[in-house]
Amino acid sequence: MNQKTAVMNQETTAVTNESLHIRRAAAMAQGQGALHPVYVNKALNAEIWDVEGNRFIDLGAGIAVSNTGHSHPRIQAAVQAQLERFSHTCLMVTPYESAVELAEKLNAIAPGNTPKKSIFVTTGAEAVENCVKIARSYTGRPGVIAFKGGFHGRTNLTMGLTGKVKPYKVGFGPFPGEIYHAPFPNAYHGVSVEESLRALDDLFVCDIEPNRVAAIIVEPVQGEGGFYHAPAEFLRALRQRCDEHGILLIADEIQTGFARTGKMFAIQYANVEPDLMTMAKGIAGGFPIAAVVGKADIMDQPAPGGLGGTYGGSPIGCAAALAVLDIIEEEQLCERALQVGERLTGRLRQLQSRYPQRVGDVRNLGAMIAMELVVDGDVNRPDPELTAAVVSEAAKAGVILLSCGIRGNVIRFLPALTISDALIDESMDILDACFSALSGSSR
């Protein structure tokens, strides 16, 4: 059979999830995994329909990307209007007003009163890399400190910053030097703020003197690491140490930004102004654009041409991001995130009360919600097998869930902030039934 005949046969054969999964396995590298063999045909707000017509409630939102819901009409209209004008000219060659307007708005909403400036790139990992470039340029120092359990991307530098080995770092070394990791405070796992700060101070004594550290990068809520929150006093202590030693504080808000936690950015809960911030994921409702926003004098340190990228600040992405900012304000999505978080965690805590030996912890900051599963109620005995089983069975029953955590035992919930209460309740009924079936047989 020649290639033309094969293509014709594909066009005349009914497309199914299974057939697409077979084609995917043959055509795409396995390293770019797929958690669920559900091939999407249509998505609207918090619901997805696959190529076979099956409906799913989406509690992942494309990993906190579609905070404003799938296919929001305001975003669709903005993107369509931009497409009718032009799709690309390269911001670094012939710029356009929408990028300037978006930078102005991001500068205005970034935490703190210090004047800000922005740059645009395409991905979250690029934003992190550019933060490190800017910090090194501004300080003239090489070192960067990150935290165990943190996730900052899949490029070589961001893998080095990431504090989670599997699956992100296995087989990909060596990683860049002058990167150091400190423990992240985690009350559930017995790591206090004091212990974390003491370990950070030990780095300054044992590994790298503070006057050689360019930046400390921190997620206000660890994403892939398990949805653990950095306490406000910890973030304030980091700010104090950075000020004391001339170190820049980078807030990685890629997963926590754009109303996800109940504020525009999670670090606002600590009333801390970072020197640099990364923004991506929820910034544009699914269109690829990312940003670094920081204090103006720091951002202006690199020379012209030192920052950017061919697709950075895509006019399509800028149009979508401007629409997202309007939607967050007009639909009061920060407030809605708090309501979504309260309703979901209420149901999860009911589940915890019935299965205390299985559900070790339920935690949230706004609509960034996690349920950690353990064996016999023991925090030191993670249950990744039950976690995987719940995620799999929920998908079969029509609910898309994601897992995370350095031990693979955390189910995370990242619904669209526009999800209805009825869909939340329906999804939790399905989860309850799946969890009860799996846990009841093995209690």
Side-chain angles (χ1 to χ4, degrees):
M1 182 185 299
N2 62 35
Q3 186 175 5
K4 182 177 180 180
T5 303
V7 170
M8 290 176 63
N9 286 345
Q10 287 176 4
E11 292 175 348
T12 57
T13 303
V15 175
T16 65
N17 288 318
E18 182 180 7
S19 68
L20 284 171
H21 214 48
I22 292 170
R23 287 168 56 190
R24 181 189 185 281
M28 298 178 66
Q30 67 173 353
Q32 192 167 32
L35 179 61
H36 299 295
V38 172
Y39 286 77
V40 179
N41 180 56
K42 182 178 70 172
L44 182 64
N45 197 6
E47 296 173 280
I48 288 173
W49 289 263
D50 69 13
V51 293
E52 298 176 10
N54 300 307
R55 168 200 175 250
F56 300 84
I57 302 172
D58 182 11
L59 298 186
I63 316 182
V65 167
S66 300
N67 290 355
T68 49
H70 297 295
S71 307
H72 195 291
R74 290 282 297 275
I75 299 173
Q76 288 182 324
V79 168
Q80 183 60 44
Q82 180 59 53
L83 277 171
E84 292 174 357
R85 296 169 60 223
F86 61 93
S87 61
H88 177 77
T89 66
C90 188
L91 183 60
M92 299 182 299
V93 179
T94 49
Y96 27 88
E97 182 181 3
S98 59
V100 177
E101 183 182 359
L102 180 58
E104 291 170 339
K105 290 191 173 184
L106 294 179
N107 296 340
I109 64 174
N113 297 321
T114 309
K116 306 294 194 302
K117 286 193 174 183
S118 298
I119 65 163
F120 294 118
V121 289
T122 308
T123 68
E126 280 185 273
V128 172
E129 293 227 3
N130 276 277
C131 275
V132 173
K133 287 169 59 176
I134 294 165
R136 285 175 168 166
S137 176
Y138 182 79
T139 63
R141 304 173 179 182
V144 182
I145 296 174
F147 291 92
K148 295 178 181 181
F151 177 80
H152 301 288
R154 291 179 174 86
T155 61
N156 189 254
L157 175 60
T158 58
M159 280 191 296
L161 294 170
T162 290
K164 178 183 177 183
V165 173
K166 294 182 179 180
Y168 305 112
K169 303 171 77 164
V170 175
F172 293 133
F175 302 112
E178 299 286 16
I179 294 173
Y180 306 86
H181 289 89
F184 190 82
N186 187 328
Y188 182 61
H189 289 279
V191 182
S192 69
V193 169
E194 292 75 17
E195 288 171 318
S196 182
L197 292 173
R198 187 161 53 247
L200 177 62
D201 292 337
D202 284 345
L203 283 179
F204 293 151
V205 173
C206 301
D207 294 285
I208 183 171
E209 60 270 39
N211 63 9
R212 293 187 66 249
V213 177
I216 295 175
I217 184 168
V218 63
E219 297 167 282
V221 181
Q222 288 195 331
E224 294 293 319
F227 280 30
Y228 302 109
H229 315 153
E233 63 267 30
F234 176 72
L235 294 172
R236 289 194 287 266
L238 288 185
R239 178 73 275 174
Q240 182 180 9
R241 280 166 173 74
C242 286
D243 291 341
E244 179 183 352
H245 297 297
I247 298 169
L248 301 189
L249 179 62
I250 301 171
D252 186 340
E253 292 267 5
I254 289 169
Q255 193 163 161
T256 51
F258 297 94
R260 170 55 55 184
T261 66
K263 291 186 181 290
M264 188 62 78
F265 302 105
I267 203 165
Q268 290 173 302
Y269 280 102
N271 195 28
V272 166
E273 180 180 7
D275 298 297
L276 298 166
M277 294 179 63
T278 61
M279 303 179 187
K281 288 192 182 292
I283 190 173
F287 290 87
I289 186 172
V292 175
V293 179
K295 295 177 179 178
D297 62 328
I298 297 172
M299 294 292 292
D300 273 339
Q301 174 63 33
L307 307 174
T310 301
Y311 294 107
S314 153
I316 306 298
C318 288
L322 288 169
V324 164
L325 291 175
D326 288 342
I327 293 165
I328 290 173
E329 181 179 2
E330 294 173 14
E331 299 187 16
Q332 300 181 331
L333 293 189
C334 287
E335 293 82 355
R336 180 57 184 160
L338 299 176
Q339 297 166 3
V340 169
E342 183 178 1
R343 196 173 190 93
L344 258 168
T345 55
R347 290 293 301 270
L348 295 177
R349 289 195 172 101
Q350 290 177 18
L351 197 64
Q352 183 182 30
S353 69
R354 287 167 35 219
Y355 297 97
Q357 300 304 303
R358 296 289 188 178
V359 182
D361 192 33
V362 173
R363 52 186 175 268
N364 76 297
L365 192 63
M368 196 169 181
I369 305 150
M371 178 173 68
E372 185 158 350
L373 304 185
V374 297
V375 177
D376 294 334
D378 187 347
V379 63
N380 295 312
R381 296 178 64 192
D383 198 340
E385 293 79 17
L386 178 59
T387 303
V390 171
V391 170
S392 176
E393 290 304 307
K396 293 175 185 177
V399 174
I400 300 298
L401 297 173
L402 303 171
S403 61
C404 65
I406 59 173
R407 307 186 303 172
N409 67 318
V410 178
I411 298 176
R412 54 177 160 170
F413 302 84
L414 292 163
L417 306 181
T418 50
I419 191 173
S420 68
D421 288 349
L423 281 180
I424 292 174
D425 294 343
E426 183 184 351
S427 69
M428 289 298 99
D429 288 343
I430 292 170
L431 173 63
D432 190 299
C434 292
F435 195 93
S436 298
L438 290 166
S439 297
S441 61
S442 57
R443 289 171 69 184

